[in-house]
Amino acid sequence: MVEHIEKDKLQTNIRYRFDYFSKFINFTSEDINALNTLAVAALPRIPVIVDGAYRKLFQCDITKHYFVIQNDKFDGSTTAKEKLSLDSAQMVYRKDMLSGYLKRLLLQREWTDEFLEYLSCVGRKHTNKMGASSIDVDYIHINATLTYIENLLTEVIFSHEKFDDHTKKNISLALNKVFRIQSDLFLMHYLDTSTNLISTPTSMHKHEKCICS
Ligand code: HEM
């Protein structure tokens, strides 16, 4: 029996897209439990992981300039470019945003529509392909950052003494799945606009923050 999947609906309905994708990769409540287990070990490490990710993003001009552009808008001064450092108030704020995101990703128990919308919003925020954002980060940097963070979290799994081999395996599989799901919810917004029908909610302003209560 072949299951019918509606191509258009994959582009227009986040829940439908997530259900299809998660069923394909077998992302289940057991994976969510595994991520919740990882949270216990990973939460104290999140400041270090986030710091590492931003250090990476500041190593090359091609990634650093996205923050400089945003900072120039925020600061409004011509010297903002020279002044921006990892410790600048704006960067501390951005680190907090990434920390909050990672905590939520690991701690979330119910993958509600609101949570899926939050993950999708984080993706949408990074590209202006749909006219939905004030920033426009090329996907190569997103993919690199996702990989970098996933690897740091994998190191947490394997360095945690209290996890036995079976737990390590389950958490590693769950971690890989969750990052592929997030990657898909980034890519969805990077697709050709002629085929991607998911638009910015009309109520959402370009500078509005992604929230999930
Ligand atoms: C693992 C991949 C990434 C994740 C999970 C992530 C997550 C986030 C989150 C949660 C926000 C806040 C969204 C909001 O406004 O509510 C944000 C904003 C932002 N991100 Fe990312 N990000 C990623 C990769 C990148 C990369 C690679 C760049 C640039 C090289 C980047 C640049 C920015 C900028 C410029 C903002 C806006 C900050 C502001 O409002 O001033 N992000 N990101």
Side-chain angles (χ1 to χ4, degrees), residues 57-58 60-69 81 84:
L57 292 169
F58 265 49
C60 298
D61 53 0
I62 198 164
T63 43
K64 186 179 176 185
H65 91 274
Y66 291 110
F67 301 99
V68 174
I69 293 169
K81 190 173 184 165
L84 187 70

Side-chain angles (χ1 to χ4, degrees), residues 66-67 94 97 101 125-126 135 141 145-146 209-210:
Y66 291 110
F67 301 99
R94 286 163 187 161
M97 301 290 277
Y101 161 84
K125 267 279 169 183
H126 291 79
I135 52 174
H141 313 304
T145 309
L146 284 171
K209 298 290 163 204
C210 301

Side-chain angles (χ1 to χ4, degrees), residues 20-152:
Y20 165 75
F21 195 87
S22 57
K23 192 172 172 191
F24 197 111
I25 64 173
N26 196 27
F27 179 79
T28 66
S29 55
E30 286 177 21
D31 292 299
I32 296 174
N33 289 341
L35 293 170
N36 297 161
T37 303
L38 171 60
V40 177
L43 254 48
R45 304 288 301 158
I46 282 184
V48 180
I49 290 172
V50 168
D51 201 60
Y54 272 99
R55 276 180 201 287
K56 271 274 166 197
L57 292 169
F58 265 49
Q59 263 173 19
C60 298
D61 53 0
I62 198 164
T63 43
K64 186 179 176 185
H65 91 274
Y66 291 110
F67 301 99
V68 174
I69 293 169
Q70 285 300 99
N71 206 61
D72 284 350
K73 279 186 208 151
F74 173 78
D75 191 296
S77 88
T78 48
T79 52
K81 190 173 184 165
E82 280 71 48
K83 282 195 297 191
L84 187 70
S85 80
L86 282 164
D87 300 322
S88 299
Q90 269 289 281
M91 294 313 299
V92 171
Y93 170 75
R94 286 163 187 161
K95 285 185 201 170
D96 284 350
M97 301 290 277
L98 187 58
S99 296
Y101 161 84
L102 288 174
K103 282 180 195 160
R104 188 164 278 280
L105 197 64
L106 299 181
L107 286 170
Q108 190 71 18
R109 290 186 191 276
E110 301 292 329
W111 280 51
T112 58
D113 289 353
E114 189 196 18
F115 182 60
L116 293 181
E117 172 51 37
Y118 169 69
L119 298 183
S120 169
C121 177
V122 169
R124 190 166 60 230
K125 267 279 169 183
H126 291 79
T127 173
N128 199 27
K129 290 251 177 341
M130 308 288 291
S133 180
S134 56
I135 52 174
D136 206 7
V137 179
D138 291 335
Y139 185 75
I140 182 173
H141 313 304
I142 299 293
N143 196 17
T145 309
L146 284 171
T147 307
Y148 184 75
I149 293 175
E150 183 180 346
N151 286 348
L152 291 181

Side-chain angles (χ1 to χ4, degrees), residues 45 149-160 175:
R45 304 288 301 158
I149 293 175
E150 183 180 346
N151 286 348
L152 291 181
L153 286 168
T154 302
E155 278 179 21
V156 171
I157 300 170
F158 283 89
S159 61
H160 196 70
L175 190 66

